Amino acid sequence: MTIPEQNAPVHTAGAAEESRPSLSALLLDPSFWADWASVVGLVGLVIVFGISQPVFLSIANLQALLLAAAILVVLSIGQTFVVATAGIDLSLAAAVMLGAIILGLVDAAGYGIFLACVLAVAATSAVGFLNGALITAGRIPDFVVTLGTLSGVTGLGLILSGGEPIMVGSTFLLRLASGSFGPFGYPVWVAISAVLVAHIALYHTRFGVHLLATGGQVESASALGIRTNRVKIAAYTISGFCAGIAALLLVARIGSAEPQINTSLLLNSVAAVVLGGVSLFGGRASILGPAIGALMLTALVNGLTLLSVSAFYQPLAVGAIVVLAALIMRYQK
Amino acid sequence: MSAVNHSPSADAILACEGLSKHFGGIRAFTDVAFQARRGEVTAVIGDNGAGKSTLIRCLVGVHVPDAGDIFFDGRLHPFANPDEARKAGIETVHQNLALIDELTVAQNLFLNREIVRRIGPLALLDRKAMKQQARAMLSRLSINMPSVSQRVRRLSGGQRQAISICRAAGSGAKLVVMDEPTAALGVQETANVEALIRRLREQAVSVILVSHNFDQVRRLSDQIWVMRAGRMVATVRSSETTGNELVALVTGAA
């Protein structure tokens, strides 16, 4: 577990632009708008909520919003790597639950919080690796495999925990959840670091190019000697790793490991990826897009809550926005 | 019409003898001898189903032949799979071109051969170097491309073919194999690709060209090999043959 809080996100925007053609060409390109639907949506929401409920724009609320978004941002990054290979990871939220329970059990057994965190992340990464191995070696569709591990991992979590929540009273996690550095809380810095690392991995390494090639045209990629199976396994393992980080943030936030799946985390991670302009058919991805998509979904829930809209309407609003975004992208392509 | 040559000479870059391939009960080709000379454009022609593509796929390691010997650069049985063939110096321009639509021209040209610079334990892509070299590769073959940062999805069939050929030639390949490189192209694009193949030859790259366009084959190649119904039936120098003779050889009317 690392908290690289020194990593200031100064160069994020510049690095994103460098990977693309000139700015004026971009603005005339309809697929640019599809790629950045999440940004446009987020700005729109901020304007609407800012006018209708000025509290929305208060520093305190914005900080709370970012804190609430951190877990979803990290999960969306993991989902992005998988979706970029033209796959999907349905076991993501279940892996978060398993990671949380392992964290709780190891901590409760007195092995120390650091070992607990390491084992939690190792376990969720192993779930991801298993997904990738079954999909490639077993030649089973990603949807079926991750649906299977979703159920299997849920069962494993229930068996391990006996169905009971486990309190985690660690000062380290408490500091992680409530402490802050500069303007942001530690969880926000964790999310920012994850965005930076993932962005570099996707745009500035051979792995990133091979990932997009594998997702784009798998036969062409393997004809050129790219080991597409390894790339896919790596993508699912990254997804599992992100689930582990999210599990740490979740346990830190609520102070206990709950043996129940937060299904909205899974659905919202896919929604954020779609809003972020990542093609569900693979081959086309960004990290900033889904991260901002996750922010947008969190802002939507936050704003509706401030406007005193019943919580029952929130899933409806999220669903409508995601389908709308997908429709807009369909027409623009 | 001269007899089929059965001994691979020293100036052959790729040759085979007694090569046969069957798929179950279906005979793709039988007892084929063939050679491509260094620095020449060697054409393989024949009707649909004559076995051209399967022969080529055996030669570059995609299929394993049932019988016979393959020599590349003097080595017997050079490779077991296409990756080994690629490492040995045979680049294949696939019929589906093996381009990734969502990647840029430069990314496609350097796919799986990316240039990286090392910063401590990290190996980061050197995009600037790749873009520069991509421009150099394209201009060496006089390929016109508005920007190497453009996604391949936006390009025309001819431009895609040009990139695919440029990638094959740009890797320092000894032999470039092209299966029907102009089959899906318009007149102007076909002319561009033909000019590209001539430039490859001027740069002393050996080329094997599979085609059933006889005029194109006579324009481009030095040596023509003719397949009919799974057998290699003839080989002629392009300069010494006529379109009518080729038609006769391919159809078996001679």
Side-chain angles (χ1 to χ4, degrees), chain B residues 38-200:
Chain B
R38 226 174 277 275
E40 289 196 346
V41 175
T42 308
V44 179
I45 62 171
D47 218 337
N48 287 336
K52 309 180 295 273
S53 288
T54 315
L55 172 66
I56 294 303
R57 287 159 91 75
C58 281
L59 292 176
V60 302
V62 175
H63 297 316
V64 178
D66 300 320
D69 297 324
I70 299 173
F71 303 86
F72 178 67
D73 227 1
R75 271 175 58 217
L76 180 64
H77 299 309
F79 13 76
N81 58 54
D83 211 29
E84 282 182 37
R86 200 170 181 225
K87 286 193 179 108
I90 297 188
E91 284 288 332
T92 309
V93 178
H94 299 269
Q95 226 163 8
N96 66 5
L97 300 181
L99 297 176
I100 313 288
D101 282 346
E102 296 296 350
L103 295 183
T104 65
V105 172
Q107 281 174 320
N108 269 286
L109 284 175
F110 281 95
L111 198 56
N112 208 17
R113 275 197 284 261
E114 294 86 357
I115 303 171
V116 291
R117 66 204 140 90
R118 304 211 160 260
I119 302 172
L122 291 174
L124 298 182
L125 294 178
D126 194 342
R127 290 215 198 126
K128 216 170 139 193
M130 282 193 279
K131 280 184 194 168
Q132 267 170 8
Q133 290 192 28
R135 276 184 215 109
M137 280 161 76
L138 291 168
S139 71
R140 195 157 59 235
L141 292 173
S142 311
I143 298 168
N144 226 338
M145 198 66 60
S147 160
V148 292
S149 305
Q150 202 167 18
R151 283 181 209 263
V152 164
R153 176 181 291 285
R154 303 286 175 76
L155 302 180
S156 70
Q159 286 173 312
R160 296 165 71 96
Q161 186 65 261
I163 288 167
S164 205
I165 293 173
C166 182
R167 177 170 64 192
S171 60
K174 296 174 186 165
L175 175 66
V176 175
V177 178
M178 300 183 207
D179 194 353
E180 302 277 7
T182 60
L185 301 185
V187 177
Q188 184 57 44
E189 291 185 331
T190 298
N192 290 345
V193 169
E194 287 185 3
L196 198 54
I197 295 171
R198 283 195 200 93
R199 283 195 287 275
L200 281 184

